[in-house]
Amino acid sequence: MKVGLEFELNGVRVAAMVAPHKRLIDVLRDDLHHPGTKEGCGEGECGACTVLVDGRAVNSCLFPALEIEGRAVTTIEGLARPGARLSPVQRAFAARGGVQCGFCASGMVMSAVELLGDNPRPTDAEIRHALAGNLCRCTGYVQIVESVRLAADAVDEEQES
Amino acid sequence: MRPRRYIGEDHARPDSPDKVAGKAVYIHDMVRPGMLYGKIKFSEHAHARIVSIDTSKAERLPGVKCVITGANTPQVRVGFLRDNLALKRDRVRQFRDEVAAVAAIDPDIAAEAVDLIEVEYEPLPAVFDPVEALAPGAPLVHEIDPRGRPCNTNRLPLDYGHCTGDIDEARRRSAFVVEGDFSTPVVQQACMGTAGCIAEFDMSGNLTMWAKTQIPFLAQRDFNRALMEMGLPGNNSRVIVPALGGGFGTGLDTHCYEYIAILLAHASGHAVKVVYDREEEFAYLSPRQSARTHIVQGCDRDGRLTFRDVRVLQDNGAYASWGATYPTVMLVPITSLYTVPVVRFQAEIVYTNNTYCQAMRGYGNPEVTWAIESNLDDLAEAAGIDPFELRRLNCNRPDTTTPMGLKISTCGLDQCLDATGEKLGWAQRRAADRRTNGDKPRKRRGVGMASLIHVGGSGKIYKSDASGIILKLDDYANVNVYYGGVEMGQGLHSSLSLAVADALGVTPAQVHINETDTGTCPWDVGTHASRGAFMACNAAILASDKLRARIFQWCKQLYPEATDFDLVDSVITLGAANGPSKQLELAKLLRAIHFRDDGDMLTETVFYDPPNELPNWKTGIGNMSATYTFGTQGVEVEVDEETGDIEILRMVSAIDVGRVLNRQTLEGQVYGGIAQGIGYALYEEVKMHKGRILNPGFTDYKIPTAAEMAFPIDLVFVETDDAHGPFGAKGVGEPGLVPTAPAVANAVYDAVGVRITDLPITPEKVLAALAQRD
Amino acid sequence: MPHYEYPRPTTLDQARELMAATPGARFIAGGTDLLVQLRKQRLPEPPALISLRNIEALASIHAEGEVRIGSGALLTDIAMHPAVRAHFPALVASIDALGSRQIRNVATLAGNLCNASPAADAAPPLLVYEARVEVIGPGGARAIPIDEFFTGPGQTSLADGEVVTAIAIAAPAAGASSTFMRKGRVKMDLAIASVAVLLQWDGTRCTRARVAAGSVAPTPLRLPEVEGMLEGSSLDDQTIERAAGLARAAIRPITDLRSTADYRRALVGVYVKRAIASLRGGAS
């Protein structure tokens, strides 16, 4: 028996009917046409499915859909600025080589957004610890860490202006 | 040579913005009208006779559109030895054998239907070790070969070898000889985007496959063959490659799941998507082959290498795929890493009831470089020569030919060794032999290094090693590129667009690379052997040169007073003998050419065949690449003698890259390779028990995270400007991971005096070895 | 395809009523272990997963006298709580090592305990802090001392229908210090072995010692023999060596997919030694 669900997705109120066993990632990809969040493992090990719920990074593959009732979700689709401009974190990843095949990118960027929201000037060690739940097989992480550092500077500047 | 405008600098990738916005479209995201979801039933035994398959309950489940088995579908043979079937008929030979499949309206129903299929098996004796599989009386994995003739051995009918000189004589002559046995485990490519495809037939019986492949054209060949076997002779397959989610070799063969998708699409009349989840990816996709290597190396009193004798035994698993052909690439380091006058190589590849293996980055090179470079340090110790000095002495030289017949053109290995030695502080750190770190008891530091040789100008393993390209100019000076190679994250599109921009004279933003599609792109053998940028950019330069020539011919016709021409960033400069030069936008010229009487549109195509040859695999002779990439990696480790823990303190990676095309993507390739090398060295291993994979998930198959890659990495790119390379560049896709494991093992030996010979170098093994040492 | 219901009660009474009315149902909080086990069919599918995530009364952390961590409190919040950070550094260290940020943002301490893996990261610290697990059930409310909570791999002493409401920990006495050490194959990994130590050390004598180990027996366990050796001693190097030896003898590690019995045994000895030395001050 499907259950009605209402929540905020990237700042917009949305509704869906979901079976009780469905996960947040299923609702986003299958019901609400937000395929930017990717499933890498389904077990909470790889972080590819990371989204923010009330500002906190979670694995959407392990988040029961019904728990999103009344809460606010931010996905990769919600970061872009008006006029299809990338957010500072996304721009930094694109500029600094933080993306290769791109499958981990959505999750990696969302984790970086959570980190910089809590800790605008993280050390390298803090960046690595915050991203330890996001696996990447392509980059070796060096340029990802550089991207986050670049993003930290850019977010700083944007906030000053 | 014109000055380079874009090549060599640090450029953001053109595909990054879409990927970072979540807009790149992977197979996982694609939906076709009326599409069904396919799921596969896999074997529950390593070796068994299939007694019966009852699909009746599955067929009755609402939402199920068709259920197929080997019994109700045409037989489709799979694999280059044709020893596999898409759906098994009377026998399963490994745990992942595909026995039945379902297409349903959603993936949940498909999965439920698979559980409702009942298969009765009669277990058969199985064999899980290649040595046991070769013993007389061992159960035969295949009792008849693909041509119906009886088999009497589990040895694969593949002949690889090499023999230059007299091994016994060279051994007798040597002042120092060291033998060793080394092994590497099965590891998984572990792409973040799992395997999958969508198969769809049109009403004329032609097939379109959206495939996670690195070989679109060889896949087309394979799928066309399958269509013939399905009673659709003359029908065509079209293979389209969307954004991939990683490759690392997983896409170098066609897989049973792809043929099953085709069979489901044909049986149901709908498009069918088959996608693996992570557990299926680990349990049912082909990983990297394991290898057991016996090696003997010798040198004279001065340290000059006298011979190298290598024997490799490979556990092939139940069916043949590219894992069985690793010896073709193993030949390269075995015969040609450092200067060795006498070489012998023997390889034995054996069927077992374990999972069958296929290509993974490095393709046999990491496996044997592990043995060669570890053993070389042992040889250095026996000879009383510093391991760096030994390598430097035997370093490959430019303009030489190796025992395999590899024609080394440029070679910067000496510079790579020197850079590594210098940046590691080799002399000082080795001299402080066996010292302790004062305030951290029982922790000892050490340094180690290892080198690599790999194909850098493609690697010929098929009757054609060519790549075609089409460059099509439109009315706006956009260059539409059609290239049959695959962007799987390595940065091919970046290098290619920069190459076209530089060679033709437009801006990178004007270069648009189309989707890889066998229907539109010229033929390419596949994106492997680190050949992507080398082939694409060489083809692009040739085609751009042709376009430039035609553009300038038109200029001459339209502006007869001009004496010379140049084209940079889409602006043509018309030089005059007397008087100022004039500038003209390329787009305007192109429209003038298009919209006149007897007009023209400028499109050029080139089919580039590199100067290499297909070796004779039995003798192991042939110049398989147009040029060779060299490198050295050095690492400093700290070993905790009480826990066996190895901490990587820092690493240096020096590579002779010929020429840097895009600094950012090149660094990315090397960093990524190093991460895979670290995983290979320290903790990656597919664990199996009696053919069953015990760790089919990231919980127990550990790959490096950002936290493991915290050590500083010094990258050195040596530019030797190879004449065969585009702008002088060599292929660098695979080298990053080749020497990492032996470099780490050599550093561990320097630190604590224990030689670990079986990867991965786990703390358990180190601690056990330390206990034996004391 | 799963068919379970997923009710989301907002009070503990509602949750317990649902449980009583649905035989075979299971409580779920963060679900990061439970949902994976269901997906892999390692558990029979229950008719319902009764969510505890929306019961406000369970979500908070109180610090008046002792610290009471509600069973619905999230690991991230627990590790950041000033009272937890001040009094229970070993617990904070174990939480920081427990999975990723994404996991810690939804998982609960109570869930980690109820999952009762022999490798439960939070268990050794809670054992040395002598926590109490407060539960309520058909038989009423009770507090289970943590060292009576685990009865076997995946098994607890919770009776049918009982649900954890809080984990209560009294702040250690002044002068006590504690530490936690663990090892995985990589940094974010299940523990191959872990050790927690709490010592009360006045500079000359150890007046109180609590030692616990994880991943080296069917349950996380206290090591009373080691504690006995340390209490009253001057924590000299010889005593520490003997304590490490007793620790190695007291545990029952196995060889499995992740590591070997020999290695785990050796590692526990080393960690006990290093933990004590670090709390005592100065290298051994």
Side-chain angles (χ1 to χ4, degrees):
Chain A
M1 265 275 289
K2 290 195 176 182
V3 178
L5 203 56
E6 265 185 42
F7 63 100
E8 192 183 281
L9 175 57
N10 296 325
V12 177
R13 292 207 63 83
V14 294
M17 292 289 292
V18 294
H21 69 274
K22 289 290 186 183
R23 312 159 302 169
L24 178 56
I25 192 174
D26 300 320
V27 179
L28 294 172
R29 288 179 60 84
D30 302 336
D31 300 308
L32 294 172
H33 309 291
H34 279 59
T37 304
K38 309 298 178 194
E39 181 162 353
C41 74
E43 297 175 16
E45 292 279 351
C46 78
C49 67
T50 305
V51 299
L52 302 186
V53 174
D54 295 333
R56 287 210 170 162
V58 304
N59 291 319
S60 59
C61 73
L62 289 185
F63 200 98
L66 298 190
E67 292 292 358
I68 208 63
E69 175 69 38
R71 302 178 73 172
V73 182
T74 314
T75 69
I76 192 77
E77 291 95 340
L79 296 186
R81 303 301 204 252
R85 275 175 44 233
L86 296 173
S87 66
V89 176
Q90 289 168 305
R91 273 206 304 279
F93 270 77
R96 207 51 214 91
V99 181
Q100 288 189 25
C101 85
F103 204 83
C104 78
S106 302
M108 195 71 74
V109 166
M110 297 316 291
S111 284
V113 169
E114 187 206 37
L115 169 69
L116 294 177
D118 281 345
N119 182 356
R121 297 225 132 265
T123 62
D124 268 14
E126 285 167 337
I127 295 172
R128 289 175 185 283
H129 187 66
L131 297 182
N134 289 82
L135 298 181
C136 173
R137 196 53 160 163
C138 297
T139 65
Y141 306 100
V142 177
Q143 290 163 318
I144 286 178
V145 174
E146 288 173 3
S147 299
V148 177
R149 242 189 279 129
L150 184 66
D153 296 337
V155 169
D156 249 5
E157 273 172 40
E158 207 186 62
Q159 282 176 352
E160 274 161 34
S161 61
Chain B
M1 176 54 101
R2 286 198 315 282
R4 290 173 200 114
R5 190 159 176 69
Y6 296 107
I7 292 293
E9 303 305 318
D10 194 303
H11 292 275
R13 301 163 51 127
D15 47 329
S16 286
D18 278 3
K19 286 174 175 172
V20 97
K23 289 206 186 306
V25 179
Y26 303 86
I27 297 230
H28 312 73
D29 307 317
M30 292 181 62
V31 178
R32 295 290 299 165
M35 186 175 83
L36 301 175
Y37 296 84
K39 269 267 185 239
I40 300 171
K41 184 153 193 85
F42 297 94
S43 164
E44 290 145 54
H45 295 271
H47 197 198
R49 201 171 65 80
I50 300 173
V51 174
S52 67
I53 307 178
D54 183 355
T55 58
S56 54
K57 292 201 189 95
E59 287 166 39
R60 285 197 298 268
L61 188 68
V64 170
K65 291 299 181 200
C66 70
V67 182
I68 58 172
T69 67
N72 65 1
T73 52
Q75 179 172 280
V76 172
R77 288 210 162 267
V78 177
F80 78 96
L81 286 185
R82 324 295 286 139
D83 58 0
N84 198 356
L85 294 174
L87 284 166
K88 316 315 168 216
R89 296 190 150 202
D90 38 41
R91 209 182 250 238
V92 294
R93 294 182 174 79
Q94 47 168 19
F95 266 103
R96 55 183 272 211
D97 265 358
E98 298 83 354
V99 170
V102 169
I105 57 175
D106 80 47
D108 283 341
I109 294 174
E112 195 169 333
V114 162
D115 285 341
L116 291 175
I117 298 173
E118 286 161 1
V119 186
E120 207 191 313
Y121 295 98
E122 182 199 302
L124 295 169
V127 65
F128 303 109
D129 174 272
V131 173
E132 282 169 31
L134 286 176
L140 288 176
V141 178
H142 293 268
E143 284 176 346
I144 51 169
D145 73 12
R147 280 186 233 165
R149 298 170 304 190
C151 290
N152 57 6
T153 175
N154 281 319
R155 189 181 279 111
L156 268 78
L158 297 170
D159 246 317
Y160 301 110
H162 182 92
C163 194
T164 292
D166 184 336
I167 283 282
D168 296 322
E169 191 265 333
R171 188 170 179 151
R172 278 194 300 273
R173 238 190 319 111
S174 304
F176 304 100
V177 173
V178 176
E179 269 187 83
D181 283 293
F182 295 85
S183 76
T184 57
V186 173
V187 297
Q188 235 256 356
Q189 301 86 345
C191 303
M192 293 317 298
T194 55
C197 67
I198 299 175
E200 185 172 357
F201 282 91
D202 66 18
M203 293 313 292
S204 307
N206 293 311
L207 168 70
T208 303
M209 279 291 275
W210 287 268
K212 189 175 191 249
T213 183
Q214 295 167 239
I215 49 156
F217 292 89
L218 297 187
Q220 177 196 20
R221 176 204 61 183
D222 285 352
F223 298 146
N224 281 355
R225 199 183 280 146
L227 292 182
M228 272 184 44
E229 286 174 313
M230 286 163 65
L232 300 166
N235 284 62
N236 189 42
S237 321
R238 176 178 180 173
V239 179
I240 301 175
V241 187
L244 271 197
F248 310 119
T250 54
L252 285 188
D253 202 353
T254 46
H255 303 276
C256 293
Y257 79 81
E258 293 172 310
Y259 298 99
I260 288 171
I262 294 171
L263 289 167
L264 285 171
H266 193 241
S268 67
H270 289 255
V272 174
K273 176 193 269 197
V274 174
V275 171
Y276 276 1
D277 65 24
R278 182 56 60 183
E279 192 173 337
E280 288 169 325
E281 180 94 351
F282 270 110
Y284 308 129
L285 199 67
S286 304
R288 185 200 284 280
Q289 195 99 34
S290 61
R292 291 181 213 178
T293 305
H294 182 80
I295 183 168
V296 194
Q297 293 187 96
C299 66
D300 66 18
R301 214 147 277 293
D302 299 322
R304 257 175 237 288
L305 293 173
T306 48
F307 76 98
R308 181 181 289 151
D309 189 7
V310 177
R311 212 171 54 237
V312 172
L313 175 66
Q314 288 187 208
D315 173 353
N316 180 76
Y319 304 99
S321 178
W322 301 130
T325 64
Y326 278 13
T328 60
V329 175
M330 288 175 169
L331 276 166
V332 173
I334 288 171
T335 61
S336 310
L337 179 60
Y338 306 120
T339 307
V340 194
V342 175
V343 183
R344 181 169 66 181
F345 172 50
Q346 300 158 283
E348 213 154 32
I349 304 120
V350 185
Y351 281 124
T352 65
N353 296 107
N354 288 323
T355 186
Y356 80 88
C357 296
Q358 75 124 351
M360 184 175 168
R361 200 173 188 179
Y363 207 103
N365 196 341
E367 290 84 334
V368 294
T369 300
W370 164 242
I372 294 169
E373 284 291 61
S374 297
N375 179 259
L376 200 73
D377 259 32
D378 289 343
L379 181 64
E381 187 179 52
I385 298 174
D386 177 277
F388 166 77
E389 294 299 339
L390 185 70
R391 290 177 166 86
R392 197 63 177 73
L393 184 64
N394 291 285
C395 182
N396 299 85
R397 306 268 167 234
D399 300 312
T400 52
T401 303
T402 76
M404 184 177 171
L406 305 187
K407 296 200 175 84
I408 314 266
S409 47
T410 52
C411 175
L413 183 54
D414 54 349
Q415 295 173 73
C416 292
L417 282 163
D418 290 342
T420 301
E422 187 212 304
K423 284 178 183 290
L424 267 191
W426 184 264
Q428 299 84 354
R429 278 171 166 76
R430 296 283 299 196
D433 217 32
R434 308 284 181 270
R435 63 179 169 79
T436 33
N437 183 331
D439 51 350
K440 279 189 257 176
R442 309 289 187 85
K443 291 196 181 184
R444 298 192 189 273
R445 292 190 176 179
V447 289
M449 62 166 66
S451 299
L452 75 107
I453 177 177
H454 199 68
V455 295
S458 188
K460 190 158 184 173
I461 44 81
Y462 188 62
K463 47 195 174 184
S464 171
D465 193 33
S467 284
I469 198 168
I470 298 171
L471 300 184
K472 179 170 84 93
L473 280 165
D474 69 9
D475 292 332
Y476 314 100
N478 289 315
V479 187
N480 285 284
V481 180
Y482 294 86
Y483 181 68
V486 162
E487 167 63 74
M488 47 187 163
Q490 83 279 45
L492 173 64
H493 282 190
S494 176
S495 310
L496 181 50
S497 52
L498 296 175
V500 172
D502 228 302
L504 180 54
V506 298
T507 64
Q510 289 171 297
V511 181
H512 306 278
I513 302 178
N514 285 277
E515 195 171 38
T516 304
D517 178 345
T518 58
T520 59
C521 300
W523 192 91
D524 170 71
V525 69
T527 308
H528 66 109
S530 303
R531 74 196 285 277
F534 180 89
M535 295 298 297
C537 297
N538 265 340
I541 291 170
L542 291 170
S544 297
D545 285 349
K546 281 186 177 183
L547 278 174
R548 269 176 86 89
R550 283 172 69 186
I551 288 166
F552 294 156
Q553 230 168 28
W554 274 105
C555 285
K556 225 188 238 140
Q557 195 177 322
L558 298 174
Y559 303 94
E561 70 286 359
T563 49
D564 52 87
F565 315 97
D566 198 4
L567 169 58
V568 176
D569 285 351
S570 278
V571 174
I572 300 169
T573 304
L574 306 161
N578 40 356
S581 57
K582 228 178 13 174
Q583 299 224 302
L584 167 67
E585 279 174 37
L586 175 62
K588 287 213 169 102
L589 177 78
L590 293 171
R591 289 198 289 275
I593 299 170
H594 178 190
F595 294 114
R596 54 185 287 122
D597 288 343
D598 289 322
D600 202 2
M601 297 288 300
L602 301 192
T603 298
E604 275 299 337
T605 179
V606 162
F607 194 60
Y608 170 65
D609 202 347
N612 56 16
E613 59 189 5
L614 188 61
N616 176 322
W617 301 124
K618 213 157 147 170
T619 61
I621 308 244
N623 184 32
M624 83 190 274
S625 187
T627 181
Y628 298 90
T629 302
F630 295 88
T632 305
Q633 274 181 10
V635 65
E636 184 175 9
V637 303
E638 185 172 84
V639 181
D640 183 329
E641 284 192 313
E642 289 186 311
T643 65
D645 250 333
I646 299 169
E647 192 186 335
I648 311 277
L649 296 178
R650 58 204 204 89
M651 180 176 274
V652 182
S653 181
I655 306 182
D656 164 14
V657 302
R659 165 83 31 203
V660 175
L661 293 176
N662 179 347
R663 183 159 295 273
Q664 193 187 93
T665 53
L666 178 56
E667 287 180 358
Q669 279 292 79
V670 181
Y671 287 136
I674 287 172
Q676 289 186 355
I678 292 290
Y680 197 44
L682 297 178
Y683 31 80
E684 288 187 39
E685 186 175 2
V686 172
K687 298 197 174 200
M688 289 184 276
H689 178 67
K690 294 206 186 338
R692 188 191 291 278
I693 292 177
L694 302 175
N695 54 342
F698 287 122
T699 308
D700 285 315
Y701 185 90
K702 308 312 291 187
I703 69 172
T705 71
E708 276 65 52
M709 293 294 294
F711 52 90
I713 302 173
D714 219 324
L715 293 186
V716 176
F717 296 132
V718 174
E719 291 182 306
T720 51
D721 270 312
D722 197 270
H724 294 297
F727 307 101
K730 305 183 186 186
V732 193
E734 291 159 288
L737 87 96
V738 171
T740 315
V744 171
N746 289 341
V748 169
Y749 187 81
D750 184 46
V752 292
V754 300
R755 167 68 59 200
I756 306 296
T757 56
D758 303 309
L759 285 180
I761 308 167
T762 61
E764 286 86 347
K765 288 177 187 164
V766 173
L767 202 61
L770 286 171
Q772 282 219 323
R773 176 198 72 175
D774 299 334
Chain C
M1 175 160 55
H3 296 283
Y4 56 79
E5 296 297 322
Y6 191 90
R8 298 165 65 235
T10 51
T11 71
L12 191 51
D13 283 341
Q14 278 172 20
R16 294 177 60 207
E17 275 162 36
L18 280 164
M19 178 58 87
T22 327
R26 293 183 73 105
F27 288 118
I28 183 171
T32 55
D33 282 318
L34 188 51
L35 290 172
V36 175
Q37 287 165 10
L38 279 177
R39 184 187 161 91
K40 291 184 172 303
Q41 296 174 326
R42 288 199 201 124
L43 292 173
E45 187 183 293
L49 289 176
I50 302 169
S51 169
L52 302 174
R53 283 160 90 140
N54 304 283
I55 301 174
E56 250 186 83
L58 296 179
S60 43
I61 303 167
H62 294 284
E64 289 128 32
E66 64 175 10
V67 173
R68 295 186 68 253
I69 298 170
S71 58
L74 305 175
L75 288 177
T76 300
D77 295 328
I78 298 169
M80 289 201 314
H81 195 279
V84 174
R85 295 185 79 77
H87 297 302
F88 310 118
L91 180 61
V92 174
S94 74
I95 291 174
D96 278 344
L98 201 163
S100 62
R101 250 172 114 100
Q102 293 92 323
I103 297 287
R104 298 193 293 273
N105 281 342
V106 301
T108 61
L109 191 59
N112 188 243
L113 298 181
C114 291
N115 188 49
S117 161
D121 279 287
L126 290 175
L127 281 164
V128 304
Y129 293 132
E130 295 178 277
R132 288 181 337 273
V133 182
E134 294 180 355
V135 311
I136 191 156
R142 65 186 180 115
I144 309 173
I146 187 78
D147 59 0
E148 289 168 29
F149 188 75
F150 305 106
T151 56
Q155 291 163 349
T156 67
S157 52
L158 288 175
D160 272 340
E162 279 189 320
V163 58
V164 176
T165 53
I167 293 133
I169 333 173
S177 56
S178 51
T179 190
F180 175 73
M181 293 183 176
R182 56 102 81 191
K183 177 164 169 41
R185 291 155 294 187
V186 294
K187 291 192 178 57
M188 184 179 121
D189 191 9
L190 295 164
I192 286 176
S194 62
V195 165
V197 175
L198 177 145
L199 293 180
Q200 217 155 319
W201 164 248
D202 63 12
T204 32
R205 224 141 238 345
C206 168
T207 48
R208 186 183 170 82
R210 293 287 178 267
V211 181
S215 305
V216 290
T219 68
L221 74 176
R222 285 261 299 271
L223 303 179
E225 314 85 335
V226 181
E227 295 166 359
M229 164 119 293
L230 297 173
E231 279 180 352
S233 82
S234 62
L235 293 186
D236 56 287
D237 287 356
Q238 214 182 26
T239 306
I240 293 179
E241 272 303 332
R242 271 195 247 127
L246 283 176
R248 283 192 295 267
I251 58 179
R252 283 151 10 246
I254 57 170
T255 294
D256 65 7
L257 201 53
R258 297 174 189 130
S259 187
T260 65
D262 283 348
Y263 185 73
R264 287 171 155 134
R265 200 178 295 279
L267 202 61
V268 165
V270 173
Y271 280 172
V272 164
K273 215 169 44 163
R274 290 183 181 178
I276 297 168
S278 77
L279 294 177
R280 177 196 70 177
S284 72

